[in-house]
């Protein structure tokens, strides 16, 4: 019986890691789209927060918050935030930045 629980727990950890990687790739794609739309250079994307929760559609899922850094002039660095539910982008917070 203990072996079964260990296998279930191990499977759950592997599944969480696998889905987390998929959501990280999705966040990178969303950040690249934001950078293209703003005509800025994307520097990096990093996960700030990830947790299990109930999504807006009422189903369980993973809520994530990703920070992305970008530069508009090659010298200054700005940080934006992407809010995702699973791989769906809910909103993005982009700070005021220099255009140029």
């Amino acid at each position: 019986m203990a072996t079964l629980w260990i296998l279930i727990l191990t499977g759950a950890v592997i599944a969480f890691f696998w889905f987390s990687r998929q959501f990280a790739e999705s966040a990178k794609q969303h950040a690249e789209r934001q950078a293209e739309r703003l005509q800025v250079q994307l520097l990096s994307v990093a996960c700030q927060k990830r947790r299990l929760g109930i999504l807006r559609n009422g189903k369980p899922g993973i809520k994530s918050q990703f920070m992305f850094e970008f530069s508009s002039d090659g010298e200054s660095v700005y940080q934006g935030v992407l809010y995702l539910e699973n791989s769906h982008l809910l909103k993005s917070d982009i700070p005021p930045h220099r255009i140029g």
Side-chain angles (χ1 to χ4, degrees):
M1 187 68 163
T3 306
L4 179 63
W5 284 109
I6 291 173
L7 288 174
I8 290 172
L9 182 61
T10 303
V13 168
I14 291 170
F16 183 75
F17 177 76
W18 183 269
F19 287 124
S20 295
R21 292 303 320 141
Q22 286 180 342
F23 302 148
E25 286 297 319
S26 177
K28 183 179 176 190
Q29 290 175 354
H30 287 300
E32 288 171 348
R33 277 191 228 122
Q34 292 289 331
E36 282 180 33
R37 186 176 61 83
L38 297 171
Q39 297 178 347
V40 297
Q41 178 185 10
L42 180 65
L43 301 175
S44 67
V45 180
C47 183
Q48 280 187 322
K49 190 188 308 182
R50 184 176 296 136
R51 64 185 174 91
L52 295 171
I54 303 298
L55 307 181
R56 288 187 178 187
N57 61 9
K59 297 179 181 178
I62 298 176
K63 295 183 176 188
S64 305
Q65 187 175 334
F66 286 86
M67 179 196 64
F68 68 101
E69 293 182 336
F70 63 94
S71 177
S72 60
D73 58 5
E75 295 178 12
S76 304
V77 176
Y78 302 96
Q79 295 179 346
V81 181
L82 301 172
Y83 299 92
L84 281 77
E85 285 188 345
N86 289 339
S87 60
H88 178 71
L89 179 66
L90 290 180
K91 69 175 186 171
S92 60
D93 288 337
I94 300 170
H97 57 280
R98 212 180 282 165
I99 299 175

